[in-house]
Amino acid sequence: MYQLSFSLSEFLAEYWQKKPTIIKGGLFFNTPEEGFVDPISPDELAGLAMEEEIDSRFISNLNDDWQAEHGPFSEEKFAELGETNWSLIVQASNHWHPQANDMLAPFKSMPGWLFDDLMVSFAMPDGGVGPHIDQYDVFICQGLGKRHWRVGAKDEGQYQEVCRHSALRQIEGFDAIIDDVLEPGDILYIPPGFPHDGYALEASMSYSVGYRSPKEQELVSNFADYVLACDLGDVHLHNPEQKAQDKHGMIQTADADIMISMLQKASQQPELLNNFLGCMLSQSRHQLNIVQPEDEWDIDEFMQHIESGESLFKVQGLRALYHENNPLTLFVNGEVFELNESLLNFIPFITEQDEINHKILNQLTAFPEAMQLLIKLLNRGYWFTE
Ligand code: SIN
Ligand code: CO
């Protein structure tokens, strides 16, 4: 089991979205003595980068000549690479690699909806992506090798953007407020807006646990899409009291007020807003490894599966959420599932666990609604059997 060496609550109070920091030996496997163990090897990472549906990037900077390419990459590409100045980055590695997914366990006390993905980066000596600014909160956990990191003061418009390659968003440079070398198990936390730059000192693996806070404009625009998709508010302004006016170009305040109240009405329905949030936040921004079953599950097959003694598994990175004040409405990958009261104790197996083992499955036979829910989730490909 991966574990943090520090209290996440204390960390949040002092640093979260406030200031960057380095936590030496912040992450370890089983015991602090054992230290950090890489969940994935560079070869396995290269394997992921060869897959069509996995988002990967290759970046090189030999002699300050910046090159950037999107995957998938071929075997030949990896065969021809030099010994320095390049790095390979795989987004949402947690969706595709079980041990990479396990590495996220100690970060589960952070809200699931806020988490974005685990980005894994392999870099040869002097490889990096150059100085840049992200709009993400990130815990960069060092695995194999060492990496030199510099972090600058928060962006207040003082940094100059520069285009060293059309696919890279870099900045000119910055003065460091953090300048240090990360070793295996060290964590660098960077809030949004702080410029940073990391160069490998030796072949290096970095694990970026990324969190993405939604923008206000995104909430508004996604809410508008949701209102349309649900075909809500399909009514025109209705004003049988319309008054004449002598200035043709004027918008009467009374008319504007009616339209403003139409807008407000949509955004003042807590149930609608909560359903919208649940649907939006339960959708991953990265592709999931969902494979719908060839044959639909039914109750007979489900019972057979229970007898086989095998577990059920949740698709890695799949989001299953509920609102604090309404645990019986489940949001799974943008879909709503209404549960009845009898399933209250079953909800954590859906929202918290990656596996439902045969012991739990056996107990479920007393709860037909729980079995029906799991059958639905299996048929969507959200849960699967090995
Ligand atoms: C990297 O791992 O190469 C880049 C991580 C970052 O700076 O966001
Ligand atoms: Co970055």
Side-chain angles (χ1 to χ4, degrees):
M1 269 288 276
Y2 287 92
Q3 289 178 57
L4 299 177
S5 67
F6 58 98
S7 145
L8 203 51
S9 302
E10 285 169 24
F11 167 85
L12 292 180
E14 184 155 0
Y15 297 103
W16 183 256
Q17 301 214 319
K18 300 175 211 37
K19 54 188 179 202
T21 187
I22 286 179
I23 306 152
K24 287 274 174 195
L27 184 59
F28 59 82
F29 191 69
N30 290 334
T31 62
E33 293 69 41
E34 199 163 336
F36 184 78
V37 177
D38 283 84
I40 180 170
S41 69
D43 278 347
E44 287 176 298
L45 192 70
L48 295 183
M50 292 167 70
E51 300 288 337
E52 182 80 48
E53 66 264 65
I54 303 182
D55 183 8
S56 60
R57 278 176 298 154
F58 172 84
I59 292 157
S60 66
N61 62 340
L62 193 59
N63 304 321
D64 216 29
D65 173 24
W66 287 89
Q67 298 294 332
E69 249 180 278
H70 269 281
F73 301 104
S74 65
E75 199 114 28
E76 293 78 60
K77 167 85 189 169
F78 295 122
E80 71 191 19
L81 294 175
E83 295 295 305
T84 66
N85 295 90
W86 59 266
S87 83
L88 177 70
I89 295 172
V90 175
Q91 235 35 87
S93 298
N94 55 308
H95 291 194
W96 307 98
H97 191 277
Q99 288 79 28
N101 193 35
D102 293 343
M103 208 203 96
L104 297 171
F107 296 94
K108 291 275 157 83
S109 314
M110 293 293 296
W113 63 265
L114 193 55
F115 173 66
D116 190 54
D117 76 326
L118 175 72
M119 182 182 97
V120 182
S121 131
F122 172 76
M124 287 298 262
D126 292 321
V129 304
H132 66 280
I133 299 171
D134 295 314
Q135 295 312 319
Y136 283 66
D137 290 272
V138 65
F139 295 98
I140 301 179
C141 309
Q142 181 66 35
L144 175 82
K146 291 181 185 166
R147 195 155 166 156
H148 181 189
W149 282 99
R150 295 174 67 254
V151 183
K154 189 171 176 134
D155 176 26
E156 316 273 5
Q158 72 274 42
Y159 299 118
Q160 213 65 47
E161 274 189 32
V162 40
C163 182
R164 299 186 181 99
H165 185 280
S166 59
L168 294 172
R169 290 193 55 134
Q170 297 183 337
I171 55 169
E172 200 75 69
F174 56 85
D175 294 329
I177 56 170
I178 287 179
D179 188 335
D180 211 340
V181 172
L182 290 199
E183 298 180 12
D186 294 347
I187 299 178
L188 167 62
Y189 164 72
I190 312 174
F194 287 75
H196 52 280
D197 193 8
Y199 284 93
L201 299 176
E202 45 195 70
S204 150
M205 292 285 274
S206 312
Y207 302 87
S208 299
V209 182
Y211 293 85
R212 186 178 187 285
S213 305
K215 279 189 194 183
E216 186 178 309
Q217 56 175 224
E218 220 168 73
L219 290 174
V220 172
S221 113
N222 284 330
F223 180 59
D225 290 343
Y226 183 78
V227 167
L228 277 177
C230 299
D231 201 22
L232 302 169
D234 188 16
V235 286
H236 288 272
L237 177 151
H238 180 69
N239 184 12
E241 312 299 321
Q242 186 66 58
K243 301 285 182 291
Q245 56 189 54
D246 53 7
K247 300 285 187 293
H248 183 63
M250 182 182 74
I251 302 165
Q252 291 178 38
T253 303
D255 290 335
D257 284 347
I258 297 174
M259 288 181 270
I260 289 171
S261 71
M262 287 164 84
L263 284 165
Q264 284 167 340
K265 196 177 123 227
S267 63
Q268 279 169 358
Q269 301 175 53
E271 196 183 324
L272 177 66
L273 289 169
N274 277 322
N275 281 339
F276 152 66
L277 285 177
C279 288
M280 184 185 100
L281 299 173
S282 65
Q283 278 168 282
S284 174
R285 297 164 51 83
H286 303 273
Q287 190 163 333
L288 293 160
N289 190 13
I290 292 176
V291 184
Q292 267 180 304
E294 272 173 35
D295 298 312
E296 291 249 311
W297 285 79
D298 57 25
I299 188 72
D300 293 339
E301 267 185 275
F302 191 77
M303 295 305 285
Q304 268 174 30
H305 180 79
I306 292 181
E307 276 161 34
S308 76
E310 306 282 328
S311 299
L312 292 182
F313 300 92
K314 185 194 221 167
V315 162
Q316 289 174 217
L318 186 93
R319 286 155 195 250
L321 307 172
Y322 59 88
H323 286 289
E324 186 176 13
N325 59 6
N326 181 14
L328 291 173
T329 300
L330 268 191
F331 302 92
V332 182
N333 198 33
E335 273 186 70
V336 188
F337 296 86
E338 296 290 353
L339 313 185
N340 69 33
E341 201 77 39
S342 69
L343 296 188
L344 207 51
N345 293 331
F346 173 61
I347 292 169
F349 294 104
I350 300 291
T351 59
E352 310 301 310
Q353 313 281 350
D354 293 336
E355 176 181 351
I356 308 179
N357 65 28
H358 75 277
K359 222 177 105 194
I360 302 299
L361 288 173
N362 260 317
Q363 292 172 10
L364 283 188
T365 50
F367 298 91
E369 290 89 355
M371 292 197 286
Q372 287 307 333
L373 174 66
L374 276 177
I375 289 170
K376 263 191 217 162
L377 295 170
L378 283 162
N379 282 332
R380 302 282 206 283
Y382 297 160
W383 265 255
F384 61 93
T385 56
E386 223 150 37

